[in-house]
Amino acid sequence: MISDFIASWDLFFEPYALTLLSAALLSLIGVVTAARRQVFIAAAVAQASTLGYALFTLLIGVGTLPAAIRDVVCVAAAVLAAVLTMLYGSSRREGARLDADELTAAVFLLGGAGSVLALARAPAGMEQLRRLQASSVIGATTLDVVLFAVLLVAAAVFVILRHRALVLVLSDPVMAAAVGMRLRVWNIALAVTCGLALGLAVISTGALYAFATLALPVMVAKHFCGQVRDLFWAAPLVAVATVLVGLFLAYVWDLPPGQLIATLLCAWLGLAVVARRVWDALAS
Amino acid sequence: MSDSASSSAPAAAAAPAPDAPGHGSDRPLFALRQASLGYGRHIVLRDVDLEVHAGEFWCLLGPNGEGKTTLIKTLLGALRPRRGAAYRDPEMFRRGRVSYVPQRLELNPVLPTSVREFVLSGLVGVKADATRRRGRLERVLSLVGLTGSVSRNYWTLSGGQRQRAMVARALIRDPRLLVIDEPTAGLDFAAARAVLDVLEDLHKTYGVTIVFVTHELATAQRYASHVALFRGGVVTAGAKAQVATDQALERTFGVPVSVSMGQGLGLGLGQGPGPGLASGTELEAGA
Ligand SMILES: Nc1ncnc2c1ncn2[C@@H]1O[C@H](COP(=O)(O)OP(=O)(O)OP(=O)(O)O)[C@@H](O)[C@H]1O
Ligand SMILES: [Mg+2]
């Protein structure tokens, strides 16, 4: 069975590779979104990208745009939404009426409702929306794989070189400014990176999978790590291991891999919580 | 960032930097001219004029919500003045010889961080190899009395212990300018005393410039060379003897205060050195 699965890599190399690479990348980025209390951002970004596409279609008045343009618009809208939400979150003011999570919820709802409204009367509008929302990795191309590989390597190198600065800017922006880090540049760079990775992931792997690999691995890893720094390798490790198991089981049982991987991650989370409790009980 | 940033305090003391006290440079480290400070359209402080020179010990005094933290954020460059000008000594800030102890942290408490990781994050931009980092870590942790807690989860520390960890993080980069937002809030008697003694020692022995928010008049009275009073959006700043008069303090706090009585207010710090923290001279011994 395992050899069958390994043999299937030849056939499905791009989808498999994309699933792995995007999980590794998003779980890395998930550490930053968790530190900033912006876990739901992936869900909102997913919806915002469809809204961006829907509005663009409505404005241009064309029912069917070429897929390439559609993707560019979606990514642009996703990046914009992520940047705005993250910048708002990082400049959170005391006494402000909205926190980052609430704003994210509003973006999520606006994206979901607005995109349907915008395309409800367009010819074949709903059909297109459905296609966008139910995207899967089956159509993955070599370009997707290369793109995610490049982003992953860039993100990993950055974390390895600058993890201490990253921890400082996440924990204490004022001290970061005091020691000469440029806050504005950091905030925008982090927001753009998250938006870009998420926007691309939502379009090539689907919102559920993107959200699951962003939010869950860090939640699992956190039960076994004592430092933020360790999360940067532990979360991707959890993600990659789960994807490998998930792909295998999906192949064996002929189930959709994205949903299976998300479910597995939730199962690990449950196990991690229990294991940690037991460990703590034994230690004390 | 720079090699000089990694030189230890005693080295700096042996060969005083041009910004050490007594070298009387006229250029301030930090200055505000007719500056209005605030957030967006909300102006907190108006027409502030203030100059902090090397070697001074500033206490910022005022009721809650009067803008002390706002001024500090501007000093550190995290906030830009809404109007007017802010000057920051480019040398000092570029070389990263500035440190800060915040009133509170923004990190999400559900993320685990150890005391080690937290304190070492204060070394950002300082070139130091692993041995040197370890040496510095041990030195500052013993200084604040957290030696045994190096591997502990920061979030399982008590409020006062967290405060000590924040002080350790600030000291680990051997700052020439140390900005502290209520360093003794939540500290027990001995710990507060010890932190203040460390500050005094840094100031006196190494000429470190200190800017310090406190609600304790006795502390200001004892340690400060300069005082800034915050009231109603106005900052009155200058040498302690000129600024911290009975009338000015009464205006600031809205209750009768006597400068001499200041000693008896607040913590009412005793004289003996506090247990739990080593004296500041260990900074020298450990280097
Ligand atoms: N991030 C922020 N956004 C908007 N307004 C703020 C922000 N931080 C503080 N303020 C407002 O600015 C004013 C001054 O606040 P600041 O924190 O500077 O006071 P403070 O003197 O440090 O008070 P405390 O003694 O309680 O620490 C307050 O009215 C406060 O509501
Ligand atoms: Mg304050």
Side-chain angles (χ1 to χ4, degrees), chain B residues 248-285:
Chain B
L249 289 172
E250 181 171 340
R251 221 178 310 122
T252 302
F253 292 98
V255 289
V257 183
S258 140
V259 175
S260 48
M261 259 181 61
Q263 298 280 16
L265 292 178
L267 269 181
L269 296 168
Q271 288 305 306
L277 294 180
S279 109
T281 45
E282 267 199 18
L283 193 63
E284 188 170 29

Side-chain angles (χ1 to χ4, degrees), chain A residues 94, chain B residues 63-70 72 103-104 181-182 213 215:
Chain A
E94 281 128 76
Chain B
N64 293 133
E66 287 289 352
K68 302 180 294 295
T69 302
T70 306
I72 277 185
Q103 213 170 350
R104 61 173 171 275
D181 208 344
E182 301 194 32
V213 175
H215 289 291

Side-chain angles (χ1 to χ4, degrees), chain A residues 149-232:
Chain A
V150 169
L151 278 175
L152 176 62
V153 169
V157 168
F158 182 81
V159 167
I160 289 168
L161 293 180
R162 302 303 307 268
H163 72 264
R164 201 163 284 141
L166 193 56
V167 170
L168 186 63
V169 88
L170 292 176
S171 59
D172 190 350
V174 181
M175 170 78 169
V179 303
M181 293 172 64
R182 285 191 288 176
L183 277 190
R184 207 173 276 244
V185 175
W186 272 83
N187 280 337
I188 293 176
L190 285 178
V192 169
T193 311
C194 294
L196 197 63
L198 268 170
L200 287 170
V202 163
I203 284 154
S204 34
T205 68
L208 178 99
Y209 183 72
F211 187 31
T213 50
L214 180 98
L216 291 167
V218 60
M219 288 190 216
V220 176
K222 186 166 90 156
H223 284 82
F224 305 104
C225 291
Q227 315 191 74
V228 179
R229 176 189 170 166
D230 296 337
L231 291 176
F232 283 116

Side-chain angles (χ1 to χ4, degrees), chain B residues 25-282:
Chain B
S25 94
D26 293 346
R27 276 237 237 106
L29 292 183
F30 168 75
L32 289 173
R33 304 216 199 292
Q34 291 294 301
S36 295
L37 317 182
Y39 306 86
R41 254 173 281 139
H42 174 39
I43 301 289
V44 178
L45 297 169
R46 280 170 208 289
D47 301 330
V48 184
D49 279 302
L50 177 102
E51 281 193 5
V52 176
H53 290 265
E56 293 174 345
F57 195 126
W58 279 82
C59 267
L60 313 189
L61 288 165
N64 293 133
E66 287 289 352
K68 302 180 294 295
T69 302
T70 306
L71 188 131
I72 277 185
K73 286 184 185 165
T74 313
L75 192 171
L76 295 172
L79 211 64
R80 284 191 203 164
R82 300 284 104 194
R83 265 204 316 277
Y87 168 83
R88 302 190 300 138
D89 179 57
E91 206 31 38
M92 172 79 78
F93 281 86
R94 193 177 52 74
R95 285 159 69 199
R97 303 295 307 263
V98 181
S99 237
Y100 168 62
V101 180
Q103 213 170 350
R104 61 173 171 275
L105 270 194
E106 298 205 5
L107 189 69
N108 190 346
V110 302
L111 279 200
T113 184
S114 64
V115 171
R116 177 190 290 106
E117 179 178 55
F118 178 77
V119 174
L120 283 176
S121 74
L123 277 180
V124 167
V126 176
K127 278 207 187 96
D129 59 23
T131 326
R132 198 160 193 167
R133 273 203 303 271
R134 207 171 320 120
R136 282 186 180 218
L137 181 69
E138 280 164 15
R139 189 157 51 101
V140 292
L141 285 181
S142 86
L143 211 55
V144 300
L146 279 180
T147 305
S149 307
V150 62
S151 304
R152 274 185 71 182
N153 184 347
Y154 177 84
W155 302 110
T156 63
L157 300 179
S158 75
Q161 288 172 317
R162 284 184 206 173
Q163 195 78 20
R164 297 180 196 208
M166 289 201 272
V167 172
R169 184 190 66 172
L171 293 184
I172 199 170
R173 60 191 293 119
D174 283 338
R176 304 288 310 153
L177 168 60
L178 183 53
V179 180
I180 312 190
D181 208 344
E182 301 194 32
T184 54
L187 291 190
D188 64 49
F189 175 83
R193 174 57 191 255
V195 165
L196 290 170
D197 283 348
V198 170
L199 296 185
E200 189 177 32
D201 190 55
L202 286 174
H203 177 66
K204 290 219 171 112
T205 313
Y206 305 116
V208 173
T209 311
I210 293 182
V211 176
F212 181 127
V213 175
T214 181
H215 289 291
E216 284 133 25
L217 284 179
T219 308
Q221 195 62 31
R222 173 165 171 178
Y223 297 94
S225 66
H226 290 70
V227 166
L229 298 177
F230 290 67
R231 181 72 197 194
V234 176
V235 180
T236 317
K240 180 172 68 181
Q242 271 105 58
V243 173
T245 59
D246 285 355
Q247 299 90 317
L249 289 172
E250 181 171 340
R251 221 178 310 122
T252 302
F253 292 98
V255 289
V257 183
S258 140
V259 175
S260 48
M261 259 181 61
Q263 298 280 16
L265 292 178
L267 269 181
L269 296 168
Q271 288 305 306
L277 294 180
S279 109
T281 45
E282 267 199 18

